[in-house]
């Protein structure tokens, strides 16, 4: 009996692991093809100021697979595990640089900043900075319109190296956004030491801001940011009431479905022109 059950258990466990590995393997093979066939696309989510003018955007990657849009949560982790993130990540930076360079010849779009996400795995790689340099010298965008979004996990492994890397990126003109703030391990000293420019308040705080306790958390983050001279962005703003309270608490910029979902390039450009040429 026991032996029988034991064996069954073992078989089930084994199958799960096999399935997981083969699913990852399948995604990896498909991702490899996706790189070759250029199946990736950047979407752009508007970032607005307190007057609802568009000041920038966040570039978010999508995989267009057989006409269907695959969100990054479904393939970035596999890309990180398999090392394919280097190629994909380089493509993201290059595409972002091209966009900013393109927008420079447009009276309205040239004011728009673009933030792109980089993975910790990608940054850890020896050649990362060189790749960035090569892309910038090839495309020649106005780097001060480019923002790099990193997460707090960048600081965990090798603090000295991360410090050095960010310093060099800043010297090249990039602004540094700290993404998903509040979900990781950041201390105030990290914020100061690493010369972050913009702090992105994680959606989980925005979700709670209408409650008394949630409001206190956000207020604490904003007060700290102001003292450290950091700009703040609220992520995932979905309701007008949240927008009102966040404004009252002093948040500088806003992103969320209340204003717009991540948009295709042309849709985003239209959105900017509509909002930024209208009267208040
Ligand atoms: P993130 O950088 O924190 O991006 C914010 C995510 O929240 C995006 O999901 C965005 O579509 C979503 N979002 C924005 N506003 C709202 C809202 O009002 N409500 C809700 N429910 N969601 C909202 P997305 O595009 O699926 O990206 C998920 C994560 O994947 C990103 O989180 C980022 O960590 C990663 N990612 C996206 N693009 C890239 C990329 O090009 N490279 C790397 N390495 N990671 C990326
Ligand atoms: Mg981000
Ligand atoms: Mg975020
Ligand atoms: Mg996030």
């Amino acid at each position: 009996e026991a032996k029988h059950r034991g064996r069954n258990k073992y078989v089930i466990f084994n199958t799960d692991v096999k399935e997981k590995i083969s699913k990852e393997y399948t995604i990896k093979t498909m991702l490899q093809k996706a790189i070759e066939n250029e199946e990736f696309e950047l979407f752009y989510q508007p970032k607005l100021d307190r007057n609802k003018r568009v000041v920038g955007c966040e570039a978010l990657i999508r995989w267009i697979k057989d006409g269907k849009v695959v969100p990054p949560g479904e393939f970035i982790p596999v890309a990180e595990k398999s090392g394919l993130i280097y190629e994909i990540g380089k493509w993201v930076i290059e595409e972002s640089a091209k966009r900013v360079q393109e927008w420079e010849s447009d009276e309205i779009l040239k004011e728009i900043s673009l933030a792109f996400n980089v993975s910790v795995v990608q940054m850890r790689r020896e050649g990362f900075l060189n790749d960035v340099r090569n892309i910038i010298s090839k495309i020649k965008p106005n780097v001060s319109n480019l923002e790099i979004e990193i997460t707090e996990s960048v600081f965990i492994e090798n603090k000295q190296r991360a410090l050095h890397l960010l310093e060099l990126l800043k010297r090249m003109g990039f602004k540094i956004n700290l993404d998903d703030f509040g979900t990781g391990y950041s201390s105030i000293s990290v914020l100061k030491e690493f010369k972050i420019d913009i702090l992105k308040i994680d959606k989980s705080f925005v979700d709670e801001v209408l409650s008394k306790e949630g409001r206190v958390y956000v207020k604490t983050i904003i007060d700290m940011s102001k003292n450290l001279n950091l700009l703040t962005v609220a992520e995932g703003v979905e309701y007008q009431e949240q927008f009102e309270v966040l404004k009252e608490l002093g948040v500088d910029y806003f992103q969320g479905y209340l204003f717009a979902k991540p948009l295709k390039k042309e849709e985003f450009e239209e959105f900017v022109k509509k909002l930024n040429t209208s009267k208040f």
Side-chain angles (χ1 to χ4, degrees):
E1 249 301 292
K3 200 176 169 192
H4 180 73
R5 236 186 296 140
R7 195 188 295 149
N8 258 345
K9 220 168 142 191
Y10 176 73
V11 168
I12 289 164
F13 172 68
N14 201 16
T15 310
D16 277 359
V17 172
K18 260 193 203 150
E19 254 169 36
K20 194 164 173 262
I21 291 171
S22 88
K23 194 183 166 207
E24 278 184 12
Y25 181 77
T26 310
I27 299 179
K28 190 191 160 190
T29 310
M30 290 194 300
L31 272 178
Q32 236 147 6
K33 289 219 183 77
I35 296 173
E36 289 160 28
N37 301 339
E38 300 175 41
E39 293 173 23
F40 296 107
E41 194 173 325
L42 289 183
F43 278 42
Y44 307 87
Q45 187 179 37
K47 177 163 90 184
L48 290 80
D49 69 11
R50 303 164 63 85
N51 300 314
K52 285 205 185 177
R53 297 273 152 167
V54 185
V55 295
C57 64
E58 176 175 5
L60 295 154
I61 195 169
R62 300 291 182 264
W63 176 11
I64 315 295
K65 184 164 149 282
D66 310 318
K68 280 198 224 96
V69 179
V70 184
E74 286 180 31
F75 64 89
I76 292 285
V78 179
E80 288 179 332
K81 255 194 180 170
S82 60
L84 290 171
I85 192 68
Y86 304 129
E87 278 311 307
I88 297 173
K90 257 202 287 193
W91 178 84
V92 168
I93 302 173
E94 178 154 349
E95 192 70 11
S96 299
K98 280 184 189 163
R99 212 54 356 96
V100 161
Q101 199 275 337
E102 245 173 64
W103 288 342
E104 272 157 40
S105 51
D106 184 288
E107 266 322 294
I108 295 166
L109 295 170
K110 74 175 184 200
E111 310 289 338
I112 300 297
S113 66
L114 184 153
F116 59 88
N117 293 278
V118 294
S119 144
V120 184
V121 180
Q122 185 188 352
M123 276 188 94
R124 229 187 261 145
R125 201 196 200 186
E126 201 58 54
F128 174 75
L129 199 71
N130 236 343
D131 290 342
V132 174
R133 279 208 190 96
N134 289 338
I135 291 167
I136 295 309
S137 59
K138 187 172 86 177
I139 315 280
K140 301 189 173 61
N142 178 3
V143 182
S144 63
N145 275 349
L146 283 166
E147 298 166 5
I148 300 186
E149 292 205 359
I150 57 168
T151 53
E152 299 159 64
S153 43
V154 165
F155 310 121
I156 296 168
E157 255 194 23
N158 188 340
K159 200 177 145 194
Q160 257 351 88
R161 180 168 184 274
L163 198 71
H164 184 61
L165 202 57
L166 290 191
E167 184 63 45
L168 293 175
L169 289 166
K170 286 208 62 151
R171 239 184 268 165
M172 290 172 72
F174 289 100
K175 299 210 171 59
I176 310 293
N177 295 359
L178 188 58
D179 208 351
D180 304 335
F181 183 78
T183 61
Y185 317 81
S186 291
S187 60
I188 296 186
S189 68
V190 160
L191 292 175
K192 249 179 65 182
E193 220 180 330
F194 282 86
K195 305 203 184 82
I196 303 292
D197 298 286
I198 299 165
L199 189 150
K200 300 191 79 174
I201 303 166
D202 191 65
K203 180 177 188 300
S204 56
F205 291 98
V206 172
D207 288 342
E208 300 295 324
V209 78
L210 295 180
S211 77
K212 214 171 134 192
E213 201 189 323
R215 191 191 164 101
V216 172
Y217 278 114
V218 175
K219 187 176 184 322
T220 307
I221 296 175
I222 313 271
D223 291 347
M224 176 195 71
S225 304
K226 293 228 181 317
N227 286 329
L228 294 170
N229 275 318
L230 302 174
L231 291 165
T232 49
V233 182
E235 298 192 292
V237 182
E238 292 181 343
Y239 303 102
Q240 181 65 29
E241 292 82 358
Q242 295 173 333
F243 180 46
E244 301 297 341
V245 172
L246 291 164
K247 266 201 289 192
E248 190 190 311
L249 292 174
V251 173
D252 299 296
Y253 304 116
F254 309 84
Q255 258 180 263
Y257 294 174
L258 173 66
F259 314 104
K261 292 196 168 178
L263 304 169
K264 283 176 163 280
K265 175 176 121 71
E266 293 77 17
E267 290 175 325
F268 173 73
E269 292 170 351
E270 239 172 78
F271 185 88
V272 175
K273 301 221 162 162
K274 208 174 87 193
L275 263 75
N276 290 17
T277 51
S278 68
K279 293 244 163 63
F280 281 90

